[in-house]
Amino acid sequence: MKKIKVKGKHFILSLVCLVLGFMIAFSYHLTQIENQNEHLNRSGKQYEKTLVLRNQLIAQEETNRKLQKELHQKQDKVLKNEKDLAKEAQVFLNQAEDTEKYRMFLGKVMVKGKGVKITLSDGDYDPKEVNINNYLVHEHHVFKVVNELYISGAAAVAINGQRLTSHSYIVCNGPVITVDGVQYPAPFVITAIGDSDVLASSINLTGGVRDQLVNDNLVFTLEKVNEMIMNPILGS
């Protein structure tokens, strides 16, 4: 068996290879450690960034909840204000309607519409009747008709074309009737603007105004009118 002699240059070469391998192995290991540290650093930074974003999201959600609560409160307030305004508007509307109604009753505005015309005439002369007043139209007969018309919803009433107001007065003076100082002989024509069907039905009720007047020997006629106009009273 032949022995191999290790020369000095072989030893040096082996030593160099050994050192070089150690350096390569150490460098690889160091690189792995650095990569691990870098990965950990990156993971830590990402976690911190995620945590910051999460906290910001939570804070934003809390802010959104507060804003939503404030929005609901403001919406409720707006709704309440709208209801209050609607009530006020209805009140003003009712007041305007009442004012217009009062103006009609006072004769301050023209009234136009359908209605009824009622004529009251003295009864036929009966020589057997001692008291002539028993077949004449008196103020209480006119009052019955006028009151029934107003109760039934008449917007305006006139006697022989003279419009009545809340201050009107009717006085009987023999065969004539005085309305607000103006005398009118029979027949007396009472006109009223309103729902003609309602007005006529109220007057013609069994045992009502019409029957009472007929029983007092008066001549009573009623007709519905599709349109009539009552002008405002001068100086009202």
Side-chain angles (χ1 to χ4, degrees):
M1 185 175 181
K2 187 177 181 180
K3 293 182 180 181
I4 300 176
K5 293 182 179 180
V6 179
K7 297 182 177 179
K9 60 181 180 178
H10 291 158
F11 175 76
I12 293 173
L13 182 60
S14 298
L15 183 60
V16 170
C17 291
L18 180 62
V19 172
L20 183 60
F22 175 78
M23 292 177 63
I24 293 174
F26 179 77
S27 177
Y28 175 76
H29 180 68
L30 183 61
T31 301
Q32 284 185 327
I33 293 175
E34 290 178 351
N35 289 338
Q36 289 178 355
N37 291 335
E38 185 178 358
H39 178 71
L40 292 175
N41 291 333
R42 289 181 180 178
S43 299
K45 292 180 179 179
Q46 185 65 33
Y47 174 77
E48 291 177 358
K49 184 177 181 180
T50 302
L51 183 61
V52 171
L53 292 176
R54 179 176 176 274
N55 292 334
Q56 291 178 351
L57 179 60
I58 294 174
Q60 188 63 49
E61 289 178 347
E62 182 65 24
T63 302
N64 290 342
R65 281 193 293 269
K66 290 181 179 179
L67 292 175
Q68 190 173 18
K69 183 178 180 180
E70 292 179 3
L71 177 61
H72 290 163
Q73 291 175 347
K74 293 184 181 298
Q75 287 177 337
D76 292 340
K77 187 176 181 180
V78 170
L79 183 60
K80 182 178 181 301
N81 291 337
E82 289 177 348
K83 290 181 178 179
D84 293 340
L85 290 175
K87 291 180 181 179
E88 291 180 4
Q90 186 61 44
V91 170
F92 292 144
L93 179 61
N94 293 339
Q95 290 178 347
E97 292 177 349
D98 291 341
T99 301
E100 188 67 17
K101 186 186 299 181
Y102 297 147
R103 286 175 178 170
M104 288 191 299
F105 290 150
L106 293 173
K108 293 182 177 295
V109 294
M110 182 190 74
V111 183
K112 177 180 179 181
K114 61 182 181 178
V116 295
K117 181 172 74 172
I118 299 171
T119 303
L120 302 181
S121 303
D122 295 336
D124 295 332
Y125 173 71
D126 185 358
K128 296 181 181 180
E129 183 64 52
V130 177
N131 190 352
I132 191 174
N133 289 322
N134 289 337
Y135 58 84
L136 294 180
V137 179
H138 298 287
E139 76 271 17
H140 66 271
H141 297 130
V142 177
F143 272 127
K144 285 182 179 180
V145 175
V146 171
N147 289 337
E148 186 65 30
L149 291 172
Y150 276 129
I151 291 172
S152 303
V157 179
I159 299 176
N160 285 25
Q162 182 171 339
R163 188 167 170 183
L164 302 181
T165 70
S166 59
H167 303 296
S168 293
Y169 63 91
I170 303 173
V171 178
C172 182
N173 186 13
V176 299
I177 287 180
T178 301
V179 180
D180 295 340
V182 181
Q183 289 186 342
Y184 297 100
F188 304 104
V189 179
I190 304 172
T191 52
I193 294 179
D195 190 321
S196 57
D197 293 332
V198 174
L199 297 177
S201 297
S202 299
I203 294 293
N204 289 325
L205 283 174
T206 302
V209 174
R210 179 181 180 280
D211 289 347
Q212 294 173 21
L213 297 178
V214 171
N215 290 335
D216 286 345
N217 302 315
L218 303 183
V219 179
F220 177 96
T221 61
L222 182 150
E223 61 178 300
K224 297 179 182 179
V225 181
N226 290 329
E227 183 175 304
M228 62 177 68
I229 298 175
M230 291 188 188
N231 293 316
I233 300 173
L234 295 178
S236 62

